[in-house]
């Protein structure tokens, strides 16, 4: 059975800080790992990672995948209050096209 | 439409009632998924459609849960004889292509928050 574990469960930082969110996984026949941001509504797509060692970047957010050690990290630099959300990590494996999600990391950025 | 649309946004029902939740995926998206998200947890897979075919329903928790997508676009998730443990947010997602290594992310709707009294 596919499994995703995220850490930390929650995190409180101040504006301007840099944060690193962790995601480890066990999956049969890995296809991809995805990061989503969830505020009060829909999870919003951030990144899809399929290859090890290639950093994906979007503004202040970046992510990288290590398929040997079975983990990914999401970095947010110069955090802003608008970054406050739950960040979800999910993997797609051979069980089908479905995603298996971790429990999320709740990030709070204080002014 | 521009995004995945779900209705209603909120639904309150009494235990034992039947409910129907609607999902309108992004136009042209082949794949459609339903997930259940309990408070403070990540979404959990319920079922998957490729066009009108329901290819995976392994996540449906009981035979009280039923989903359909008769014309390959709009989908309905029906829960019969609701129980309190059915209270959750029900998320729908769609992606452009289906099957195999598609490299296409799933895009989610805002969900329906279901409360069973």
């Amino acid at each position: 059975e596919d499994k995703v574990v995220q850490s930390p469960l929650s995190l409180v930082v101040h504006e301007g800080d840099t944060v690193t969110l962790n995601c480890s996984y066990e999956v049969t026949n890995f296809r991809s790992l995805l990061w989503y941001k969830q505020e009060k509504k829909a999870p919003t797509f951030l990144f899809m990672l399929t290859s090890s060692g290639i950093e994906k970047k979007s503004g202040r957010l970046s992510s990288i995948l290590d398929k040997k050690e079975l983990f990914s990290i999401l970095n947010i630099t110069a955090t802003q209050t608008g970054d406050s959300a739950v960040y979800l990590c999910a993997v797609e494996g051979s069980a089908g096209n479905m995603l298996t999600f971790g429990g999320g990391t709740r990030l709070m950025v204080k002014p | 439409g521009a995004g995945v649309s779900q209705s209603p946004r909120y639904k309150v029902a009494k235990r034992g009632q039947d409910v129907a939740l609607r999902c309108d995926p992004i136009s042209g998206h082949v794949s459609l998924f339903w997930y259940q998200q309990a408070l403070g947890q990540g979404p959990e897979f319920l079922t998957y459609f490729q066009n009108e075919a329901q290819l995976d329903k392994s996540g449906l928790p009981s035979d009280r849960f039923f989903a359909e997508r008769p014309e390959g676009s709009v989908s309905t998730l029906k829960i019969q004889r609701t129980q309190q443990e059915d209270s959750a947010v029900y998320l729908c997602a769609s992606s452009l292509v289906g099957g195999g290594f598609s490299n296409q992310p799933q895009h989610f709707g805002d969900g329906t928050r279901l409360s069973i009294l």
Side-chain angles (χ1 to χ4, degrees):
Chain A
E1 186 175 320
D2 298 347
K3 186 177 176 183
V4 177
V5 177
Q6 293 185 245
S7 64
L9 286 178
S10 65
L11 194 53
V12 181
V13 301
H14 287 94
E15 273 192 315
D17 289 349
T18 293
V19 297
T20 298
L21 310 183
N22 304 294
C23 175
S24 63
Y25 62 90
E26 297 173 19
V27 63
T28 305
N29 293 337
F30 174 90
R31 291 182 177 177
S32 63
L33 183 144
L34 297 91
W35 285 96
Y36 288 86
K37 176 183 181 182
Q38 187 174 30
E39 295 171 268
K40 292 193 181 298
K41 299 181 180 179
T44 305
F45 172 72
L46 296 175
F47 298 112
M48 174 183 263
L49 302 154
T50 57
S51 301
S52 271
I54 299 174
E55 184 184 54
K56 293 229 173 168
K57 196 170 171 67
S58 176
R60 296 175 295 102
L61 278 66
S62 64
S63 184
I64 198 160
L65 174 67
D66 186 328
K67 288 167 74 174
K68 182 180 176 185
E69 300 298 329
L70 307 182
F71 77 90
S72 174
I73 60 172
L74 175 68
N75 277 321
I76 309 175
T77 59
T79 51
Q80 303 172 357
T81 55
D83 295 328
S84 296
V86 173
Y87 290 83
L88 295 166
C89 174
V91 293
E92 183 183 15
S94 68
N97 295 73
M98 68 185 208
L99 296 177
T100 299
F101 282 87
T105 293
R106 181 174 297 276
L107 174 65
M108 180 182 293
V109 181
K110 291 187 171 181
Chain B
V4 178
S5 177
Q6 292 188 245
S7 61
R9 286 282 289 124
Y10 303 93
K11 176 70 179 177
V12 179
K14 291 183 179 178
R15 189 162 59 97
Q17 288 183 329
D18 298 348
V19 297
L21 313 180
R22 176 189 168 103
C23 173
D24 201 338
I26 294 171
S27 179
H29 277 200
V30 168
S31 296
L32 184 146
F33 305 80
W34 285 98
Y35 294 85
Q36 181 189 61
Q37 187 174 25
L39 190 63
Q41 298 182 22
E44 290 192 359
F45 171 77
L46 293 176
T47 187
Y48 158 59
F49 290 86
Q50 185 173 319
N51 295 307
E52 69 279 1
Q54 189 174 21
L55 298 187
D56 188 343
K57 54 181 181 180
S58 62
L60 295 176
S62 78
D63 59 7
R64 296 186 295 105
F65 287 71
F66 171 77
E68 60 183 4
R69 193 186 184 197
E71 297 177 1
S73 55
V74 171
S75 176
T76 303
L77 176 67
K78 298 179 180 177
I79 309 174
Q80 297 176 324
R81 305 180 304 282
T82 51
Q83 303 293 319
Q84 284 193 319
E85 61 263 28
D86 300 335
S87 296
V89 174
Y90 290 85
L91 294 167
C92 177
S94 69
S95 67
L96 186 59
V97 297
F101 188 43
S102 69
N103 225 20
Q104 294 289 332
Q106 294 179 26
H107 297 275
F108 284 80
D110 285 345
T112 294
R113 183 176 296 276
L114 176 64
S115 297
I116 304 300
L117 304 179

